[in-house]
């Protein structure tokens, strides 16, 4: 089976590596154009491009695939490359571009998407973040037959995964990336013998995982402590959760919710300080913050943070 691949970040690289290791012929990879990154803001290839180049796989990086769009020449070149690749199927994972109908129709088996949620819950851009933020008990990976809608295609394979109490987006991402890589190999092996059975998504239970915005990093102390603690895990490693104290923006990376013991003080007020953490009053309960970071500094355990930035009860962490 000849497999075209479209993806960009590390989540997609894991799947590409599994497909390569499984022995599928991969004549072409589509990925986003190189982006500036790092202190020098030099152009950096995506993780998918890096893997493809290391393994001698041809790469195309169109800014759009719309033949009638802003970059028609790039889209036309990508179309010629896909036609020349003579692929049976395209696997898509966190590519970042909308696939027009001509792409969906080109491979004889269509386009299969690796989606990091239990569809139809958390369609959209940030399913891992939003599942943790919402307090979901489980998530998983859905291999989906792509159509023209936003994550609306029929489900081909689904596998569930519990969300641990200490999972962050970083840790859950790695688990789901590994699961997605294994599951898409299984899907292609079944497709080769006609063993995939598409199942339409339920009409009920649809939710959208909207893109994470930097503005969401500001903590809202009027929320319950457990909701803030979930957001801290959901926004680790990006964009983090932050608050202002003594004129500095401090990142709050880890903490635990204590749903009793806030007292009558205003939300955002420090109610307890010791080596284990900084207790901050919330709308309900209090949050014991155990890992923090000052601007330009490293993430530090509360005891180390307090040695360089002593905080006392009665001070406020403002939104």
């Amino acid at each position: 089976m000849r497999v075209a691949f479209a993806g960009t970040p590390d989540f997609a690289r894991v799947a590409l590596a599994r497909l390569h290791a499984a022995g599928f012929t991969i004549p072409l990879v589509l990925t986003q154009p190189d982006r500036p990154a790092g202190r020098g803001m030099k152009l950096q290839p995506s993780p998918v491009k890096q893997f493809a180049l290391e393994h001698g796989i041809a790469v195309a990086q169109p800014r759009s695939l719309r033949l009638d769009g802003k970059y028609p020449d790039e889209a036309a070149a990508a179309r010629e490359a896909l036609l020349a690749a003579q692929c049976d199927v395209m696997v898509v994972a966190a590519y970042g571009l909308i696939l027009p109908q001509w792409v969906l129709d080109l491979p004889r088996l269509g386009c299969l998407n690796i989606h990091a949620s239990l569809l139809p819950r958390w369609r959209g851009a940030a399913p891992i973040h939003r599942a943790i933020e919402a307090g979901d008990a489980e998530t998983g990976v859905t291999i989906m037959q792509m159509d023209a809608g936003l994550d609306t295609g029929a489900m081909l394979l689904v596998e569930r995964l519990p969300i641990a109490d200490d999972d962050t987006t970083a840790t859950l991402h790695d688990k789901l990336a590994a699961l997605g890589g294994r599951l898409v190999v299984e899907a292609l092996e079944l497709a080769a013998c006609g063993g995939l059975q598409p199942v339409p998504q339920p009409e009920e239970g649809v939710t959208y995982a909207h893109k994470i915005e930097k503005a969401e990093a500001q903590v809202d102390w009027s929320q319950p402590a457990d909701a803030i603690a979930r957001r801290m895990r959901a926004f680790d490693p990006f964009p983090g959760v932050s608050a202002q104290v003594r004129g500095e923006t401090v990142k709050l990376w880890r903490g635990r919710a204590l749903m009793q013991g806030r007292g009558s003080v205003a939300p955002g007020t420090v109610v307890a300080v010791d080596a284990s953490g900084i207790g901050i009053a919330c709308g309900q309960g209090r949050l014991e913050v155990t890992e923090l970071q000052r601007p330009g500094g490293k993430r530090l355990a509360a005891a180390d943070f307090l040695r360089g930035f002593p905080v006392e009860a009665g001070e406020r962490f403002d939104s």
Side-chain angles (χ1 to χ4, degrees), residues 120-182:
R121 185 158 176 80
W122 302 128
R123 295 174 179 173
I128 302 175
H129 304 75
R130 298 307 184 189
I132 295 176
E133 183 185 21
D136 291 2
E138 63 178 3
T139 183
V141 167
T142 304
I143 306 298
M144 176 187 65
Q145 185 81 50
M146 297 182 71
D147 61 16
L150 176 62
D151 298 332
T152 56
M155 301 180 294
L156 303 173
L157 286 180
V158 179
E159 189 163 326
R160 298 175 180 272
L161 181 75
I163 299 176
D165 291 340
D166 60 350
D167 263 330
T168 64
T169 287
T171 61
L172 193 55
H173 167 281
D174 291 350
K175 296 176 187 178
L176 290 170
L179 175 57
R182 175 171 61 79

Side-chain angles (χ1 to χ4, degrees), residues 8 19 24 36 71 120 132 137 145 147 151 196 206-207 226 229 318-319:
T8 299
L19 291 169
F24 290 100
Y71 306 103
I132 295 176
Q145 185 81 50
D147 61 16
D151 298 332
L196 284 178
V206 174
T207 55
D226 54 358
D318 293 318
S319 298

Side-chain angles (χ1 to χ4, degrees), residues 14 49 54 68 71-72 75 130 132 151 167-168 241 284 316:
V14 172
K49 180 180 178 180
E54 289 167 2
D68 58 350
Y71 306 103
R130 298 307 184 189
I132 295 176
D151 298 332
D167 263 330
T168 64
V241 166
Q284 295 177 29
R316 283 185 59 85

Side-chain angles (χ1 to χ4, degrees), residues 15 19 33 36 55 60 73 76 90 95 117 122 127 130 145 159 170 172-173 194 216 230 233 249 266 270 272 308:
L19 291 169
H55 294 83
D73 292 345
M90 177 183 282
Y95 178 31
S117 83
W122 302 128
R130 298 307 184 189
Q145 185 81 50
E159 189 163 326
L172 193 55
H173 167 281
E216 296 182 76
R230 290 197 305 269
R233 294 190 292 114
T249 299
V270 177

